[in-house]
Amino acid sequence: MSSCTFDLPHYRVLLDAAKEGGYAFAFFDHEPRPGDLFLRHDVDLSLEAALTLAELESEEEAPATYFLMTQSTFYNLAAPPGEAAVERLRALGHRVGLHAVWPRAELDERFDPVVAWHNPDPPYMSESIDGADNVMSPRFFARDRYRSDSNQHWRSGCPHEALARGDFEWLQLLTHPEIWVYDGTTMRQTMESMLAAERELRWRQLAEDRIDLS
Ligand SMILES: [Zn+2]
Ligand SMILES: [Zn+2]
């Protein structure tokens, strides 16, 4: 469907469709109930993209759970921008879970007790975790109640029409903020856009770090 683009206007369409279908935005803190929509974001690459999407969702009164990494190759949650991102996400009414890298699921005060594994392998993907909920455990995961935008591709189609019709008893909807925030009709193009934006960000960070740019 050419109208189902991966951009912020279509993300709003998804949220509006969910409202039209009568869904309620839910957090991973209870057994799924009919009509629950669990908005899940795995933040793989960009805290800036996460914050952009979080602001939009706040405007739309659509709270989500953001899964952030402590072992990311791409961002540092312990640096001031990382700390500010956690604070801003919570101020906007979102929850923050851990996007963990196997086998470490070490939760601290930054996180709600909920974990999503990054690029999980089948043997542990659905296994229970001590002291935390696993979003892919049978409690929260069923094949027909789960949609994901992985690598800018919906395996079972964009769910906006099915949401508007109320087809899902409940749904876990996994989206990656980078895919929606940065322009591009392929993952490759979207990554080009992200890298162009990050080049600008890096220049500002260099100036803030008192690097001589004269
Ligand atoms: Zn769509
Ligand atoms: Zn991930």
Side-chain angles (χ1 to χ4, degrees), residues 104-183:
R104 273 174 64 182
E106 291 166 15
L107 290 149
D108 57 45
E109 69 288 347
R110 291 174 291 184
F111 304 101
D112 288 10
V114 58
V115 169
W117 292 114
H118 175 62
N119 292 342
D121 290 318
Y124 59 84
M125 186 165 87
S126 317
E127 291 298 304
S128 57
I129 297 166
D130 281 346
D133 277 312
N134 176 354
V135 292
M136 296 304 273
S137 67
R139 185 185 183 198
F140 291 115
F141 177 80
R143 197 161 290 281
D144 57 346
R145 292 168 199 170
Y146 175 82
R147 294 288 175 95
S148 159
D149 66 351
S150 77
N151 275 303
Q152 210 153 324
H153 175 72
W154 296 106
R155 281 201 193 88
S156 314
C158 175
H160 90 260
E161 288 174 351
L163 279 169
R165 288 193 303 265
D167 285 357
F168 305 102
E169 187 192 6
W170 54 267
L171 183 71
Q172 177 182 161
L173 180 58
L174 166 60
T175 52
H176 296 78
E178 303 86 12
I179 289 177
W180 299 82
V181 167
Y182 296 111
D183 291 336

Side-chain angles (χ1 to χ4, degrees), residues 6-7 45 151-152 176-197:
F6 291 93
D7 55 24
L45 304 175
N151 275 303
Q152 210 153 324
H176 296 78
E178 303 86 12
I179 289 177
W180 299 82
V181 167
Y182 296 111
D183 291 336
T185 54
T186 63
M187 198 64 188
R188 166 96 196 185
Q189 288 174 359
T190 301
M191 293 298 93
E192 296 269 16
S193 301
M194 184 185 80
L195 291 174

Side-chain angles (χ1 to χ4, degrees), residues 76-90:
N76 180 0
L77 204 61
E83 292 181 339
V86 173
E87 198 173 315
R88 185 65 186 153
L89 288 170
R90 292 208 178 271

Side-chain angles (χ1 to χ4, degrees), residues 67-95:
F67 290 86
L68 304 183
M69 304 180 77
T70 55
Q71 296 174 265
S72 171
T73 301
F74 297 97
Y75 61 84
N76 180 0
L77 204 61
E83 292 181 339
V86 173
E87 198 173 315
R88 185 65 186 153
L89 288 170
R90 292 208 178 271
L92 290 168
H94 302 298
R95 301 267 176 107

